[in-house]
Amino acid sequence: MRKVINIFETTDELSQFVAQQLIKQIANLSEGQFFSIALSGGSTPKSLFRYLALNYLKQIDWKKWLVFWGDERCVAPESNESNYRMACESLLDLVPVPKENIFRILGETDPVKEAIRYTETVKKHLPSSHGIPQFDYILLGLGEDGHTASIFPDQIQLFQSNRFFEVATHPQSGQKRISVTGSVINQARMVSFIVTGESKSEMVARILEKKPGWEHLPASLVHPENGLLYWLLDKKAAQNLHKTDKLN
Ligand code: 6PG
């Protein structure tokens, strides 16, 4: 695995870097191949999605995209908590990804059954490597508690599950979530954490500088064996990093 940590002055510069990553990966596809991406949820990706829709409508070959989610809250798609709704409003309704290439996690259905159904959907549309579905690109966020996707520190065992998608529970709200697990994350060709804001700076430093307890955090377990791992940070999220030159 190769890990790259990039720190950007602004979220627009971070978004521009992601856009270039996407363009390069799509350019490398063979004829007839699709680009599979798992989107993250929460608030951070909104600015990235809006930036892509606004600035890369023509420069990205959206018809090559197969869109999945790394996690989804178990809510209806109309809910303002839905990661699907957020992605549609900030990106997918604004770019020409064919509707049949968008694979929503059905947050409104039974979580256990949906984790199984979604696993089959992902397996059907992605190539596999060592028996594990392989995404071209997985976008991840970082929670202030060190969670990523919807794998929380108190359920870190889910990261190591031999299932590809699991049902998780938000530790505070009790909300059920469907989440990708570590076997799929660590099989991806490219994984990018996008982390912005001062509120994440302590957790970013704990993970990247391996401070006490770092190994018990789900985000610390992300290391795509044969892929590229990017930590894409704005300056505020990186403000507690003091050994940046030794981090990559
Ligand atoms: C979710 C996300 C989750 C998110 C982090 C950061 O469904 O909430 O997938 O993992 O990336 O919680 O969320 P913010 O971007 O809102 O800080």
Side-chain angles (χ1 to χ4, degrees):
M1 176 199 83
R2 187 164 151 252
K3 181 168 75 176
V4 176
I5 296 164
N6 284 346
I7 300 167
F8 301 91
E9 288 289 333
T10 67
T11 51
D12 276 5
E13 285 174 13
L14 188 158
S15 301
Q16 190 169 42
F17 183 88
V18 173
Q20 293 309 317
Q21 286 182 312
L22 299 171
I23 288 171
K24 279 187 201 127
Q25 275 213 298
I26 293 168
N28 288 337
L29 292 174
S30 314
E31 187 58 36
Q33 261 194 321
F34 284 95
F35 172 70
S36 60
I37 182 169
L39 303 180
S40 63
S43 56
T44 303
K46 270 185 207 166
S47 55
L48 165 64
F49 294 164
R50 287 183 185 133
Y51 184 89
L52 294 175
L54 194 62
N55 298 288
Y56 283 85
L57 180 62
K58 301 292 182 201
Q59 294 91 319
I60 288 178
D61 189 351
W62 300 100
K63 291 186 174 39
K64 295 251 185 191
W65 280 39
L66 295 179
V67 180
F68 300 83
W69 276 262
D71 67 322
E72 181 59 279
R73 293 82 179 276
C74 292
V75 295
E78 305 78 26
S79 165
N80 58 16
E81 291 196 75
S82 164
N83 290 336
Y84 167 79
R85 176 178 165 181
M86 181 272 284
C88 288
E89 290 176 344
S90 45
L91 179 64
L92 300 176
D93 290 348
L94 309 171
V95 296
V97 175
K99 294 296 174 227
E100 64 272 19
N101 290 2
I102 298 174
F103 302 93
R104 175 173 77 89
I105 296 176
L106 307 181
E108 69 276 25
T109 64
D110 173 78
V112 173
K113 288 179 183 164
E114 179 56 14
I116 294 166
R117 186 200 70 85
Y118 203 68
T119 296
E120 292 312 308
T121 299
V122 168
K123 284 165 64 177
K124 178 181 171 189
H125 290 91
L126 265 58
S128 76
S129 170
H130 308 296
I132 300 169
Q134 183 173 51
F135 279 97
D136 291 307
Y137 196 99
I138 295 183
L139 193 61
L140 292 176
L142 175 70
E144 291 176 33
D145 61 355
H147 80 259
T148 193
S150 282
I151 308 285
F152 296 94
D154 66 341
Q155 301 151 53
I156 194 165
Q157 75 285 358
L158 292 179
F159 192 94
Q160 309 294 6
S161 168
N162 56 16
R163 294 194 181 99
F164 299 149
F165 285 83
E166 284 274 12
V167 178
T169 306
H170 190 283
Q172 279 79 46
S173 68
Q175 183 185 63
K176 291 296 179 191
R177 307 258 184 112
I178 308 289
S179 182
V180 68
T181 61
S183 48
V184 175
I185 293 171
N186 287 336
Q187 199 60 47
R189 294 178 188 279
M190 187 178 288
V191 179
S192 288
F193 278 100
I194 56 169
V195 190
T196 60
E198 185 176 0
S199 69
K200 307 288 177 73
S201 60
E202 191 278 328
M203 190 49 71
V204 164
R206 193 187 310 180
I207 293 170
L208 294 184
E209 295 186 341
K210 297 185 167 55
K211 294 182 175 177
W214 73 280
E215 67 275 24
H216 303 302
L217 299 168
S220 299
L221 304 180
V222 173
H223 47 79
E225 287 102 14
N226 303 307
L228 280 165
L229 174 61
Y230 286 86
W231 279 83
L232 306 177
L233 313 169
D234 74 352
K235 283 190 82 172
K236 288 180 179 169
Q239 68 186 23
N240 288 340
L241 291 179
H242 303 302
K243 299 180 282 188
T244 311
D245 56 318
K246 300 181 182 60
L247 289 175
N248 283 336

